[in-house]
Amino acid sequence: LAIEINENYYHSEIGGEKDKDYHLRKTNMCLNKNIQLIHIFEDEILFKKDIVFSMILSKINLTEKIYARKCKILEVSSLEKKQFLTNNHIQSDTKDSIRLGLYYENQLIGLMTFINLRKSLGNNNNVNSMFELVRFCPKIGFSIYGGFSKLLSHFISQYKPIKIVTFSDNRYSSSKPEETVYCKNGFNFINKIKPRYWYFKKGDYLRRYHRFQFNKKQLLKQINSPGLTEWDIAQLLGMDRIWDCGNMKFVLDF
């Protein structure tokens, strides 16, 4: 296991002169030596330190262990889900429609959320029985043995999906598909997805913005130059960006 804290400015495209494949190349170089490299962005270690440390402790088996058979599954409210993900998941809250929680002694210690599959992921006919697994998250400081399997089995029995799509993040998860929790629970590895980026405003490198907030349609409202690319306009507006290591896509068909 290797861990790198990437200072946002020095690992950005303009400030740090790091191209879009820089972090992925490092990941693959380590992978070739059978080393898993975890990339942590500077803002994560500063503002989400407890979550980062819990992720690392889990990798080296130093978290508190609880068996899923000792837990019960309950539906989780939107408010409780939001608070749980904010406090326990490195990527915080997200949109969902189904929220399943693992409770141990009346305490929420694990969460799995789903949403109806988007058209962009292949649900062209808006089929209600096709889903995306959006989040799986244990409480910081805990590892739940069998937790993923128990929550997934419950979801399948209750909602009768015909397809479940999900993604892993190569910054944290193993880059070997067969070592992921998804393949170990019946998902098929589909493909690796190229690195993606976040934006910064120059001078404020500790706040990353999702690229969707600065797509070309939005940027054209500030600079009406349709002939320029999104990145061209972003630079004119004083933006910089940082790249991740890509994702892996998995699918479970029924």
Side-chain angles (χ1 to χ4, degrees):
L1 183 68
I3 303 162
E4 180 174 2
I5 308 299
N6 297 327
E7 290 183 276
N8 290 351
Y9 173 81
Y10 291 105
H11 286 254
S12 65
E13 188 164 344
I14 296 175
E17 300 182 348
K18 301 298 189 292
D19 64 64
K20 65 180 181 179
D21 293 320
Y22 176 79
H23 298 110
L24 179 59
R25 283 197 302 272
K26 278 192 153 185
T27 297
N28 289 335
M29 288 169 67
C30 286
L31 187 64
N32 290 336
K33 295 183 178 294
N34 203 31
I35 299 170
Q36 182 187 351
L37 174 59
I38 298 175
H39 291 272
I40 306 297
F41 289 147
E42 182 181 8
D43 58 284
E44 294 170 329
I45 195 68
L46 288 175
F47 306 133
K48 299 182 179 182
K49 181 172 65 175
D50 291 343
I51 298 176
V52 171
F53 284 2
S54 181
M55 290 167 55
I56 295 170
L57 290 173
S58 178
K59 294 285 186 183
I60 57 178
N61 296 316
L62 289 179
T63 46
E64 183 176 346
K65 300 169 180 60
I66 293 177
Y67 290 92
R69 65 174 181 269
K70 296 183 178 180
C71 304
K72 60 181 178 180
I73 297 176
L74 297 173
E75 298 277 347
V76 179
S77 70
S78 179
L79 177 60
E80 187 175 16
K81 177 270 306 188
K82 181 177 181 179
Q83 292 173 337
F84 187 85
L85 289 178
T86 299
N87 293 332
N88 297 282
H89 199 283
I90 194 73
Q91 296 175 343
S92 297
D93 190 24
T94 188
K95 293 181 179 180
D96 53 58
S97 55
I98 299 169
R99 302 168 290 274
L100 302 176
L102 277 175
Y103 288 81
Y104 177 75
E105 297 181 348
N106 297 318
Q107 178 186 13
L108 179 61
I109 64 164
L111 179 70
M112 184 176 283
T113 69
F114 298 84
I115 195 168
N116 287 105
L117 197 64
R118 295 165 281 162
K119 286 185 178 180
S120 60
L121 294 179
N123 192 5
N124 297 318
N125 297 318
N126 199 27
V127 179
N128 290 330
S129 53
M130 299 173 70
F131 295 91
E132 180 182 355
L133 194 169
V134 187
R135 291 281 190 270
F136 172 66
C137 178
K139 183 177 176 65
I140 59 173
F142 290 88
S143 293
I144 310 167
Y145 285 13
F148 185 97
S149 176
K150 182 168 183 172
L151 286 169
L152 180 64
S153 295
H154 179 86
F155 172 77
I156 292 170
S157 67
Q158 294 296 310
Y159 292 91
K160 305 295 190 291
I162 61 172
K163 179 189 287 290
I164 303 174
V165 176
T166 195
F167 300 87
S168 66
D169 191 324
N170 292 337
R171 282 207 296 133
Y172 324 113
S173 301
S174 174
S175 297
K176 296 180 179 179
E178 65 276 11
E179 292 182 356
T180 64
V181 69
Y182 307 108
C183 282
K184 291 177 181 179
N185 282 273
F187 283 80
N188 293 311
F189 167 68
I190 303 301
N191 62 283
K192 292 188 176 182
I193 299 170
K194 295 180 179 180
R196 299 179 180 182
Y197 54 88
W198 287 265
Y199 277 116
F200 310 104
K201 294 179 180 178
K202 288 183 180 177
D204 185 13
Y205 279 85
L206 293 181
R207 183 175 181 183
R208 285 181 291 123
Y209 295 89
H210 196 281
R211 62 190 178 279
F212 290 167
Q213 294 179 251
F214 293 90
N215 60 40
K216 187 172 180 178
K217 182 178 179 181
Q218 296 295 323
L219 294 175
L220 285 174
K221 295 177 182 178
Q222 301 181 61
I223 295 180
N224 188 19
S225 298
L228 298 179
T229 66
E230 173 196 309
W231 179 224
D232 290 334
I233 301 173
Q235 290 178 83
L236 290 175
L237 292 171
M239 308 295 291
D240 198 350
R241 61 185 178 181
I242 192 170
W243 293 82
D244 65 11
C245 303
N247 301 76
M248 291 191 292
K249 180 180 179 180
F250 301 86
V251 172
L252 182 59
D253 288 305
F254 298 88

